[in-house]
Amino acid sequence: GIQVEQSPPDLILQEGANSTLRCNFSDSVNNLQWFHQNPWGQLINLFYIPSGTKQNGRLSATTVATERYSLLYISSSQTTDSGVYFCAVEAGGSYIPTFGRGTSLIVHP
Amino acid sequence: SQTIHQWPATLVQPVGSPLSLECTVEGTSNPNLYWYRQAAGRGLQLLFYSVGIGQISSEVPQNLSASRPQDRQFILSSKKLLLSDSGFYLCAWSEGVDEKLFFGSGTQLSVL
């Protein structure tokens, strides 16, 4: 099956800092999604981004499908950005979203 | 708008007892439904998925089973829980292949 690797595994920031999270995948994909899991366990879909760039407030994401990676940018981080960020991909013909192991982000005030 | 309900939020069960976790989706028809488990250490493991009533696919052979008795209802069950069944269980849905995935609020299961 497809392999999904996320980096870095852990990230600690001071409030106001910027960061870039990376997701690499081993095969061509039909879609890629980014999620944020808050400290209470709720997973929120941030972006559906099989290719190109999208922005939503302080967050933006870019997927370069031909090079098999995606980046999630967080600008001017806030304490509420803390949690775990996952990317998930679906390979062609698959019904199965496969998740990376996530990046744990802690933003200190 | 679509919503997903998952319950209970927390559950403590003795080893050997049965399990039933329920998930329902509102505001959509014929969704794809998924059960994931998240153990300590973060990764999400797909347990079961369903593309229609009575259609269940298992990704990992184990002590659990799933059923889809109605279009928007997905149930995770076990006849006898093991200690290793402890974890955070998440139900999710999408409108089809290559569509956005949405999660329920999860059930924290502790088997003692």
Side-chain angles (χ1 to χ4, degrees):
Chain A
I2 192 167
Q3 304 298 311
V4 183
E5 294 184 0
Q6 292 187 241
S7 60
D10 301 281
L11 189 57
I12 299 175
L13 299 174
Q14 207 65 32
E15 200 168 28
N18 303 327
S19 61
T20 300
L21 283 58
R22 187 177 180 100
C23 173
N24 292 332
F25 41 96
S26 61
D27 205 347
S28 59
V29 298
N30 284 357
N31 80 56
L32 185 143
Q33 303 180 63
W34 282 98
F35 297 85
H36 175 226
Q37 187 172 35
N38 67 24
W40 297 271
Q42 179 68 54
L43 276 149
I44 304 298
N45 194 307
L46 299 174
F47 292 103
Y48 176 90
I49 184 166
S51 63
T53 297
K54 290 186 177 180
Q55 182 154 6
N56 184 2
R58 296 180 296 103
L59 302 181
S60 65
T62 295
T63 297
V64 184
T66 53
E67 297 188 20
R68 300 181 183 172
Y69 74 89
S70 182
L71 302 174
L72 178 68
Y73 305 96
I74 304 175
S75 64
S76 303
S77 58
Q78 301 176 359
T79 56
T80 52
D81 295 330
S82 296
V84 183
Y85 290 81
F86 292 97
C87 71
V89 303
E90 281 187 43
S94 168
Y95 293 108
I96 304 170
T98 299
F99 282 75
R101 289 189 54 77
T103 292
S104 175
L105 173 65
I106 298 174
V107 181
H108 289 301
Chain B
S1 64
Q2 301 93 346
T3 56
I4 178 170
H5 302 280
Q6 185 181 343
W7 67 94
T10 59
L11 192 58
V12 180
Q13 292 285 97
V15 170
S17 64
L19 173 73
S20 181
L21 302 181
E22 188 163 343
C23 171
T24 60
V25 181
E26 297 178 356
T28 187
S29 296
N30 196 32
N32 286 357
L33 296 171
Y34 306 84
W35 279 110
Y36 283 87
R37 178 170 61 197
Q38 186 177 33
R42 274 195 328 242
L44 275 80
Q45 178 187 38
L46 180 66
L47 302 176
F48 302 94
Y49 69 94
S50 171
V51 299
I53 295 175
Q55 300 178 60
I56 309 293
S57 296
S58 173
E59 285 300 297
V60 183
Q62 54 198 329
N63 186 41
L64 302 170
S65 62
S67 62
R68 184 170 177 173
Q70 300 181 42
D71 180 43
R72 291 168 290 176
Q73 184 184 30
F74 205 23
I75 297 172
L76 182 69
S77 303
S78 173
K79 292 182 179 178
K80 289 185 177 182
L81 284 169
L82 306 173
L83 288 173
S84 57
D85 292 323
S86 294
F88 190 54
Y89 288 82
L90 289 151
C91 180
W93 75 275
S94 69
E95 289 193 330
V97 178
D98 299 336
E99 297 289 338
K100 290 183 73 171
L101 190 65
F102 298 96
F103 281 88
S105 54
T107 297
Q108 183 65 53
L109 172 65
S110 298
V111 183
L112 305 177

